[in-house]
Amino acid sequence: MERPLTQHIHPDGTTRTLREYVTTGGYHCLQRLAGLPPKDVQRLVTDAGLRGRGGGGFLTGAKWSFVPMGADAAKPKYIVANGDEMEPGTFKDRVLIEGDPHGLIEGMILAGYAIEAEIGYIFLRGEYHLSARRLTEAIAEAYAAGYLGTPLPGTGFRFDLHLHASAGRYICGEETALINALEGKRAVPRAKPPFPQTVGLWGKPTVVQNVETLYNIPHIVNHGSDWYRRLSRTQDGGTKIYGISGRVTNPGWWELPLGTTAREVLERYAGGVADGVRFRGLLPGGISTAFMTEEHLDLPLDFSSIPPEVGRLGTATMIVLDDHTCPVGFVLNLEKFFTRESCGWCTPCREGLPWVARILMSFEEGRATSDDLSLLKMHTKWLAPGHTFCGLAPGAMAPLQSALKYFHDDFERHITTGGCPWSKKSAQQRVLV
Amino acid sequence: MLSEVERQELEEAVKHYPDKRGAAIDALLLIQRRRGWISDETLHEIAQFLEITPEDLDSVATFYNLIFRKPVGRHVAFVCDSISCWIKGCEQVQEQIKTLYGADFGQTSPDGRLTVLPIACLGHCERAPAVLIDQDVYGDVTPEKVEQIVEKYK
């Protein structure tokens, strides 16, 4: 089984230097870009079927196709790596950056070349201090070696790269909020259209891409789109970093063919749920995705095989709900997170999410009635896509709506027993709203 | 007033952006690293350097949770309270910190040593629960390990 993204990452947690990266083929394709015009790089990536690994699953080739090209296009154009990995349960980008920082730099150079963007920013969440140190060193190495800041052989294309360490807030992961943050402003999302590909950073054409997505690009350029498609088990190309956390025997991450099932990750790689607990469900990729239960475990985890009525892949880093954990308390934790991280710009999100959190709290404290179940259901409709300025609140409703469906009896038990049947632990959650 | 070293650091930060304002967040973080927090006076000094109004800069400073507009202790402990850490007992870890150092979320220990804050998922979910102290992340934290970890930070 091929693991192009992670095969060279040191198991002891140390980073890979420029010398090591070059020894395993790193930066080699930059030498032959003279025979590979930007349009050809775009075509390779489009044919490879690379989809955005940050959760959206948008086709990278399609995203690039909206960028104005040629001499008349606005200058400069920007390519931005979204390393604001704050989706709870998600830690894949950190693994890549800490283990192999040069892979991100090469991916950004190639993506920049493909859309003729000469300036890149790596937007890194502020808490990733080790990643920041390793990227700073790697960027300096790449400048010294002439991969950055110097025209690439035979192309006249010169790429400059900057690292931006952020100062917190989950909403920075939303691409237009991220752009505002990079400009030194509050990270409030912007209205779309215009889309960043035409009007982005400082009003210039900008492409924002997830870190893991960018790591794939050098491998596509080196080995071709057919090879890349064969890595996958399904119609979406490539491998995926799957992760799992919660009460499982061996929590961790594995690079596997796209389309691996949740059952394989859970049972074969993570060793199943921990001793003494039973599986009840999982969130397949961060907390903005809907619960999957036993009946969904054999679905291929990719961007096309999960039916919309079941949910979506998200970041592919799963969080397991076991029978020793209260599903209502679990969802309360998620909604508290979304409440705290709402940017406050639009009313449904700013006011609706705290309301949801307070209602869930009333279940844990034994004050809930069946009316509260109706109120929760009402919120899942009124905070759904189309009612809010960005995707934060709709994302917050995905786990709630599915929990109301799959764990309805557990919500009812909170009403009939007048409190949380699990423990007083859940009832201690404070709602900071 | 900004010291010469501080001014040089800000000049370096500005080079990464097409305008001074672009460096607003970097500037706040850089000066905070030296001064611990962003007082009103500090805010005015940075705003003057960036050539924006203090009110504008304050709207930025108060938006981001890693920028402190109130004094903090000599060290800051961020306890992840997101879902994977909650399942694995972050509340007991936070309780233990409170018991040992007398600081609840949002508070500083009476000796000025440690400020304790909740933080969004630290991205170390495979080693939950996780705690970030200053720039160091600790995974698989249990209430029993808290004292041993925090004792490194005087």
Side-chain angles (χ1 to χ4, degrees):
Chain A
M1 189 164 61
E2 290 191 79
R3 300 186 298 120
L5 271 57
T6 59
Q7 60 176 332
H8 299 299
I9 288 182
H10 302 162
D12 65 358
T14 54
T15 194
R16 295 215 319 140
T17 61
L18 174 68
R19 185 195 296 257
E20 287 176 274
Y21 186 69
V22 171
T23 307
T24 56
Y27 293 120
H28 283 202
C29 65
L30 301 186
Q31 310 302 321
R32 56 181 184 86
L33 286 182
L36 196 69
K39 280 286 177 199
D40 287 7
V41 177
Q42 287 206 18
R43 193 174 312 119
L44 269 174
V45 171
T46 303
D47 292 347
L50 172 62
R51 284 175 178 268
R53 302 302 202 235
F58 198 70
L59 276 164
T60 299
K63 195 172 201 175
W64 289 355
S65 71
F66 299 113
V67 178
M69 299 287 284
D72 296 337
K75 298 250 171 215
K77 292 188 260 186
Y78 296 100
I79 176 90
V80 179
N82 186 344
D84 191 60
E85 185 169 64
M86 290 182 76
E87 185 68 38
T90 304
F91 48 95
K92 63 190 183 62
D93 298 339
R94 171 182 61 81
V95 167
L96 288 170
I97 295 172
E98 287 181 0
D100 205 7
H102 283 285
L104 177 58
I105 298 172
E106 188 180 8
M108 291 197 71
I109 296 172
L110 288 168
Y113 178 73
I115 60 163
E116 296 171 344
E118 290 166 339
I119 302 176
Y121 284 95
I122 298 172
F123 188 97
L124 186 70
R125 68 174 298 188
E127 297 89 340
Y128 279 1
H129 296 285
L130 183 59
S131 297
R133 286 198 292 273
R134 290 183 173 180
L135 273 173
T136 304
E137 282 170 30
I139 291 171
E141 282 183 319
Y143 266 105
Y147 300 120
L148 294 173
T150 314
L152 296 174
T155 64
F157 176 77
R158 174 200 144 129
F159 189 71
D160 279 292
L161 183 58
H162 307 277
L163 174 66
H164 173 95
S166 180
R169 297 307 294 271
Y170 172 74
I171 194 62
C172 291
E174 201 278 342
E175 64 175 1
T176 59
L178 182 152
I179 286 172
N180 274 333
L182 259 181
E183 291 185 5
K185 299 171 183 162
R186 290 166 77 91
V188 174
R190 294 179 178 180
K192 293 191 272 192
F195 289 90
Q197 289 100 320
T198 49
V199 182
L201 257 182
W202 294 289
K204 305 293 188 199
T206 304
V207 167
V208 182
Q209 281 181 311
N210 173 256
V211 163
E212 186 187 353
T213 313
L214 289 159
Y215 270 91
N216 281 274
I217 294 170
H219 301 288
I220 295 171
V221 174
N222 281 326
H223 304 291
S225 47
D226 289 338
W227 168 86
Y228 189 76
R229 280 189 174 276
R230 282 197 302 273
L231 293 174
S232 161
R233 289 190 197 168
T234 60
Q235 54 179 308
D236 305 329
T239 59
K240 181 80 191 73
I241 298 183
Y242 292 94
I244 201 160
S245 62
R247 283 204 186 91
V248 297
T249 306
N250 179 24
W253 61 269
W254 303 271
E255 183 184 2
L256 300 170
L258 199 52
T260 302
T261 66
R263 189 183 302 283
E264 282 177 270
V265 178
L266 174 62
E267 292 176 2
R268 184 167 164 201
Y269 295 96
V273 291
D275 279 348
V277 303
R278 220 163 45 80
F279 174 84
R280 293 210 66 197
L282 58 79
L283 299 175
I287 67 171
S288 307
T289 55
F291 277 101
M292 292 167 75
T293 59
E294 179 70 33
E295 61 181 305
H296 308 118
L297 289 185
D298 296 310
L299 283 172
L301 290 181
D302 65 14
F303 299 105
S304 342
S305 306
I306 304 172
E309 64 272 19
V310 174
R312 60 185 190 94
L313 177 60
T315 61
T317 37
M318 301 161 219
I319 305 151
V320 171
L321 168 67
D322 64 89
D323 68 339
H324 281 47
T325 303
C326 169
V328 179
F330 187 109
V331 177
L332 169 60
N333 177 280
L334 309 185
E335 301 306 332
K336 264 175 52 184
F337 173 89
F338 286 115
T339 300
R340 196 164 76 195
E341 296 299 336
S342 169
C343 79
W345 181 257
C346 76
T347 312
C349 180
R350 185 185 61 239
E351 304 295 329
L353 290 175
W355 195 3
V356 168
R358 282 191 215 108
I359 295 169
L360 287 166
M361 193 70 210
S362 75
F363 279 84
E364 294 296 88
E365 292 178 348
R367 294 181 281 108
T369 68
S370 53
D371 286 349
D372 290 307
L373 268 178
S374 314
L375 275 175
L376 286 176
K377 283 180 190 139
M378 185 195 87
H379 277 86
T380 63
K381 289 198 182 72
W382 290 107
L383 292 176
H387 296 279
T388 58
F389 198 68
C390 81
L392 187 139
M397 291 303 103
L400 175 61
Q401 190 174 28
S402 52
L404 288 168
K405 183 162 67 176
Y406 303 128
F407 310 119
H408 185 267
D409 292 350
D410 298 305
F411 280 85
E412 289 282 3
R413 277 171 67 204
H414 281 73
I415 299 173
T416 51
T417 61
C420 180
W422 271 262
S423 66
K424 63 179 172 63
K425 176 190 164 185
S426 294
Q428 286 169 352
Q429 289 200 60
R430 287 164 295 180
V431 181
L432 301 168
V433 292
Chain B
M1 218 174 78
L2 292 174
S3 71
E4 193 48 42
V5 179
E6 288 172 335
R7 182 168 291 279
Q8 278 170 7
E9 279 188 350
L10 298 194
E11 298 282 3
E12 277 303 309
V14 166
K15 287 181 186 165
H16 293 285
Y17 302 91
D19 59 21
K20 276 188 164 180
R21 201 250 152 74
I25 293 160
D26 303 64
L28 289 162
L29 288 172
L30 281 168
I31 302 300
Q32 177 171 282
R33 199 166 297 160
R34 296 197 167 274
R35 302 188 183 183
W37 66 294
I38 304 294
S39 65
D40 288 351
E41 193 189 359
T42 299
L43 188 88
H44 278 75
E45 289 164 10
I46 300 172
Q48 193 175 22
F49 175 86
L50 296 171
E51 295 168 23
I52 60 178
T53 65
E55 292 76 10
D56 192 353
L57 187 62
D58 203 18
S59 81
V60 174
T62 53
F63 186 88
Y64 295 94
N65 58 297
L66 298 183
I67 292 166
F68 310 131
R69 285 289 275 115
K70 287 180 183 173
V72 291
R74 293 192 293 283
H75 304 283
V76 181
F78 297 96
V79 182
C80 175
D81 63 350
S82 292
I83 189 65
S84 303
C85 289
W86 178 74
I87 294 171
K88 292 291 201 73
C90 65
E91 286 168 336
Q92 286 89 318
V93 170
Q94 186 240 326
E95 278 298 319
Q96 180 71 359
I97 294 176
K98 189 172 138 188
T99 306
L100 291 176
Y101 302 97
D104 204 343
F105 273 153
Q107 296 176 347
T108 301
S109 59
D111 58 1
R113 176 177 171 191
L114 194 68
T115 297
V116 186
L117 294 169
I119 190 89
C121 180
L122 285 171
H124 286 69
C125 321
E126 81 279 31
R127 296 190 285 130
V131 174
L132 172 71
I133 304 184
D134 298 341
Q135 297 201 2
D136 311 317
V137 177
Y138 297 89
D140 295 318
V141 181
T142 57
E144 295 73 39
K145 291 185 194 165
V146 164
E147 187 165 12
Q148 185 198 339
I149 293 169
V150 177
E151 281 312 304
K152 295 178 203 161
Y153 302 87
K154 293 296 180 186

